[in-house]
Amino acid sequence: MSNRRGNFHETVVSIPNRDDIKLSTERFPFKATLSLSPLISYWENKIETDPNCNVSRVNELASLLRQNRELLEPIEDPSIINKYINTVDILMEDIFPSALWENDLRATVVPFHFDSFYATPRLEELNLLGGGNYTEKLDLDLKTLLFRLTLSAYTLILEKFYNANFMVDEPFIFTIKDKFTNLERNYKLSIDLKFMQVKAKGKPKKLTTQEINFLINRYNNLDLWMEKLPPDDFEFSGFAIYDFTDVTNEETISSLRYDLLDQDSVNTKEGFESLQQKLRVLFGLPGLRLGLASCPSLQEFDSYYARKTWNGLVLTNTCEVTQQDLRDSIYHPVMSESSTIVVDDLEMIDNPTRLEQQLLASGVRNLIVAPLQYEGKTIGLLELASPIPGELNALSTIKLKEILPLFALALNRMLEELRSSIQNIIKEKYTAIHPIVEWRFTQAAINLLDKMERNVSSEIEPIVFRDIYPLYGVSDIRSSAMERNKAIQGDLLDQLVYAKEVILAAKDNLPLSILDELVYKIDKYSQSIVHELASGDEVMVLEFLRTEIEPLFNHFELKYPSTKKAIDAYRKAINNPNGVVYNKRRAYEESLYLINDTISNFLDREEEKAQQIFPHYFEKYKTDGLEYNIYIGESLLNNGNFEQLYLKNMRLWQLMLTCEIARRIQKLRANLKLPLEITQLILVHSNPISIRFRLDEKKFDVEGADNIRYEIIKKRIDKAVLRGSDERLTQPGKIAIVYTQQREAQEYRRYIDFLQAEGYIEDEVEDVELEEMQGVQGLRALRISINFHDHLRHNIDAGDELLNIARTAALN
């Protein structure tokens, strides 16, 4: 609750879950007394500290206090405030300025309580601090509320007596229902403790640095705190100033964002109704209706099954709507031109179509339909409707801009799930099993058919391969997300420059203030995104250009031919399927594609040859780069013998392959429009593992608790940093070989010696320790630098094969 800072220790914490809290008391454990003494002292000091102070006013106040001495003592009965209200009004003048008295949401309260003894009329009217039931208003159970208050009290004690700054970063949010609309509104509480004091009863108990840190690290256990710092040793007096801010919009949008991450919020009736209610709160309209549907023009989804994603006002999964119905209706400009339409009153539309008639029949008079766009494509539409004409208008679309990207993400996830369902059918019916293990699936299928013939349990048997060795590697694009953002940022800035040239050309002939305002907005958008491209900025800028700039072009060309050159330049710049400036993004995407394609093709070519070393299971995944898994072991084969020599050969081959990939990408960079870099990593795991084929996912996964750690490491290792620094393990021009056992490092040093002799890598080898990650400890890595300059003794492109080179090494 305090925002003051000490200089001994700084810690900011979040409130834990109720089940993690340890607090035995059932009431606030500290003595807290209402006192006006700190306020009186403030006025006494004002004559000396404020040269503009009204001295006669302060003297008048001092005279009143001498007559009303009860105000100078601790106040046990708040009714005393009303008894001397005229004096209290004067005391509160600086806290409650008369100019703000009618509109402020401000009150003074007893320390760590919520019942006010002096408040503005508007706050009293809202009843935020009246009537008790604070656990309901704050949506907190009593235990959590007591925990927060008690912890906040201890933050002040630590600050004053132990110079330790310890803050709680979660504000109190009050929720009440509006008396006119009956919709929930949210108010954020800010607390000023300027007039509150904490005193120790006697000398405070001494605590060492270690003891303070011990308590802070166990901030959820307040029973322990009360043992070390008994509440009876301290008391609070004075009062707190509570300021409330209406944060309904912010809280509602935050809640919408959280809900839309959950697929049930859109797919279930309860979730959809919850979204609708939150939008009613956001727009302040209790009769608001929500509709959401995927874009029906997408042929792959124009089916009954696909209409599971239709939850619109008339576009429902049971409706009978044709493409022609949509083309003739108000929905057409939304889907074809990505325009937002606002219909003030549907009854005023001449010759309403079948869809407009259905809307009217359902009670809709007022309507907004907006496109939902994802990665530059319209994938669906969002409807907001009201039974009252004019309730939703052009101003309502401003709020829409904040929430449309959230609904677009949720709808895209629904469509991805639909595509996934289709792909699952394809995989189930058509996908071929990797040839190396096809024998085992054939065996399982035969066994299942045999059971079915004998009318016994017909579940397919699990397919598990035991005692196999994994090899894992990844070639990743360095800072791919940052490069993608920079590309988007650069294209948007270029498009804004083209737009500004058009407006400036028009201004030469048409000196209107509105054109100055458009130039100002263009400059403002440019300055905003040149520093950082925030979520939603792209949609916002393109919406501005399409709705406020581009519609002016035809008029400018007709009336002022001198603008034609600038307009033609703008149109030429966006003349592509995306309809936006797409130069830097195209450069990024083409460079990314060339890198991935080069790595993938080379990996496929060499891996096919590597099957000659020893047949093995291989799978790869493309992301912003490429990663792959290799499994090798005797149990994968229908018949055959496995020796450790085959594993060693595969490991050496993998290391050579990784070097070759790096060298090829280094040469390729000169031909890339955007010279992206790659980082490379190999994970060593010497202990054999078991893998099981997951029927639900149609893929292999590790089996057993002991093997899970390997998967955890794979998922987290790309974020690893060197111990004691912020340096990422993976670096361009280097290969990181991550290991856990010293014998693994010794084995790979042999391979490194061989590759140094072959000219693949430099002489320096780093052996580094990695910072611990969640669930992953004790990792080390060898890091080697690739030799990009010297010629190798072998020429892979001329016919020498990695496979044969690996075989020449003495690995026994």
Side-chain angles (χ1 to χ4, degrees), residues 2-22:
S2 172
N3 58 6
R4 294 175 288 176
R5 298 199 170 203
N7 55 25
F8 167 78
H9 192 288
E10 183 168 346
T11 304
V12 180
V13 301
S14 298
I15 299 299
N17 295 326
R18 184 185 188 281
D19 293 340
D20 297 328
I21 290 172
K22 292 184 180 179

Side-chain angles (χ1 to χ4, degrees), residues 52 120 160 167 178 214 290 367 402 428 470-471 477 587 598 605 609 643 650 690 745 753 766:
N52 299 318
T120 60
K160 179 168 183 179
M167 296 186 296
D178 186 281
F214 181 83
L290 168 67
L367 180 69
E402 294 187 77
E428 179 183 346
L471 291 87
I477 304 297
T598 300
R605 187 188 86 180
K609 297 173 185 175
E643 299 292 341
M650 284 294 291
S690 298
D753 288 342
E766 300 173 74

Side-chain angles (χ1 to χ4, degrees), residues 637-653:
L637 304 180
N638 194 9
N639 50 61
N641 297 317
F642 174 78
E643 299 292 341
Q644 285 290 320
L645 177 64
Y646 299 124
L647 174 61
K648 292 178 180 179
N649 245 310
M650 284 294 291
R651 285 177 170 171
L652 175 57
W653 168 82

Side-chain angles (χ1 to χ4, degrees), residues 16-196:
N17 295 326
R18 184 185 188 281
D19 293 340
D20 297 328
I21 290 172
K22 292 184 180 179
L23 179 63
S24 299
T25 183
E26 294 183 359
R27 62 180 182 84
F28 184 65
F30 294 92
K31 182 179 180 182
T33 307
L34 171 61
S35 172
L36 299 182
S37 293
L39 181 58
I40 293 167
S41 299
Y42 162 82
W43 283 105
E44 291 172 345
N45 295 331
K46 191 164 185 176
I47 296 177
E48 299 177 4
T49 59
D50 185 356
N52 299 318
C53 175
N54 187 332
V55 176
S56 62
R57 186 68 164 159
V58 175
N59 288 334
E60 177 189 353
L61 178 60
S63 175
L64 287 170
L65 289 170
R66 281 193 292 274
Q67 298 171 29
N68 307 319
R69 303 198 64 82
E70 282 183 279
L71 294 176
L72 301 175
E73 304 296 329
I75 300 172
E76 299 292 342
D77 182 5
S79 65
I80 291 175
I81 300 296
N82 292 327
K83 181 178 178 182
Y84 301 109
I85 191 63
N86 292 332
T87 303
V88 174
D89 283 341
I90 298 172
L91 280 170
M92 295 290 180
E93 279 182 354
D94 278 15
I95 299 175
F96 296 85
S98 57
L100 305 176
W101 175 254
E102 294 297 331
N103 294 319
D104 262 5
L105 298 176
R106 181 174 293 187
T108 51
V109 300
V110 179
F112 301 103
H113 291 73
F114 292 106
D115 291 317
S116 66
F117 63 87
Y118 196 89
T120 60
R122 186 159 171 249
L123 183 62
E124 290 185 331
E125 181 184 357
L126 287 175
N127 204 27
L128 281 168
L129 294 177
N133 66 327
Y134 294 113
T135 54
E136 294 178 22
K137 292 178 182 178
L138 291 164
D139 193 22
L140 297 171
D141 60 88
L142 182 59
K143 183 177 180 180
T144 304
L145 180 57
L146 278 173
F147 175 87
R148 290 190 61 172
L149 294 173
T150 305
L151 182 62
S152 297
Y154 273 119
T155 66
L156 299 177
I157 292 169
L158 283 185
E159 178 185 352
K160 179 168 183 179
F161 298 107
Y162 301 98
N163 205 25
N165 190 51
F166 177 72
M167 296 186 296
V168 180
D169 72 343
E170 295 184 31
F172 284 113
I173 303 293
F174 283 69
T175 301
I176 60 171
K177 287 194 174 181
D178 186 281
K179 65 180 181 180
F180 297 109
T181 66
N182 205 34
L183 296 173
E184 290 184 345
R185 300 203 65 81
N186 306 113
Y187 296 88
K188 178 181 177 181
L189 172 60
S190 299
I191 303 175
D192 187 341
L193 302 179
K194 178 179 181 179
F195 298 105
M196 194 176 83

Side-chain angles (χ1 to χ4, degrees), residues 149-333:
L149 294 173
T150 305
L151 182 62
S152 297
Y154 273 119
T155 66
L156 299 177
I157 292 169
L158 283 185
E159 178 185 352
K160 179 168 183 179
F161 298 107
Y162 301 98
N163 205 25
N165 190 51
F166 177 72
M167 296 186 296
V168 180
D169 72 343
E170 295 184 31
F172 284 113
I173 303 293
F174 283 69
T175 301
I176 60 171
K177 287 194 174 181
D178 186 281
K179 65 180 181 180
F180 297 109
T181 66
N182 205 34
L183 296 173
E184 290 184 345
R185 300 203 65 81
N186 306 113
Y187 296 88
K188 178 181 177 181
L189 172 60
S190 299
I191 303 175
D192 187 341
L193 302 179
K194 178 179 181 179
F195 298 105
M196 194 176 83
Q197 300 172 339
V198 54
K199 297 178 182 177
K201 300 175 184 177
K203 193 171 183 179
K205 182 179 179 181
K206 287 187 176 181
L207 293 178
T208 65
T209 300
Q210 291 75 17
E211 288 175 313
I212 293 174
N213 285 334
F214 181 83
L215 287 177
I216 289 175
N217 288 327
R218 291 157 183 79
Y219 69 92
N220 62 318
N221 185 356
L222 290 187
D223 287 345
L224 176 63
W225 285 61
M226 288 192 286
E227 289 178 17
K228 297 288 185 181
L229 296 169
D232 290 341
D233 292 352
F234 304 92
E235 64 178 339
F236 294 86
S237 63
F239 60 88
I241 303 170
Y242 281 9
D243 265 310
F244 290 89
T245 306
D246 190 331
V247 291
T248 304
N249 284 2
E250 294 89 335
E251 285 294 305
T252 303
I253 290 173
S254 176
S255 181
L256 279 169
R257 182 179 290 109
Y258 180 82
D259 285 355
L260 288 169
L261 290 174
D262 181 1
Q263 65 181 30
D264 289 342
S265 65
V266 181
N267 291 343
T268 66
K269 181 181 178 182
E270 295 77 10
F272 197 83
E273 288 178 350
S274 175
L275 292 175
Q276 180 174 259
Q277 185 63 22
K278 286 180 170 63
L279 289 175
R280 288 172 175 172
V281 171
L282 183 63
F283 287 88
L285 301 175
L288 186 75
R289 288 173 58 190
L290 168 67
L292 183 70
S294 62
C295 190
S297 62
L298 296 176
Q299 292 300 320
E300 63 179 309
F301 299 124
D302 195 10
S303 65
Y304 178 80
Y305 180 75
R307 294 185 183 191
K308 289 176 66 175
T309 62
W310 287 15
N311 201 353
L313 301 175
V314 291
L315 299 177
T316 65
N317 55 11
T318 58
C319 72
E320 296 180 1
V321 175
T322 66
Q323 294 278 338
Q324 190 58 46
D325 289 334
L326 291 164
R327 277 193 286 271
D328 296 338
S329 72
I330 57 176
Y331 293 98
H332 181 66

Side-chain angles (χ1 to χ4, degrees), residues 749 752 756 761-767 782-784:
R749 282 189 177 274
I752 291 169
Q756 285 172 337
I761 56 178
E762 305 283 0
D763 291 336
E764 182 183 359
V765 179
E766 300 173 74
D767 193 344
L782 297 173
R783 197 161 64 174
I784 55 179

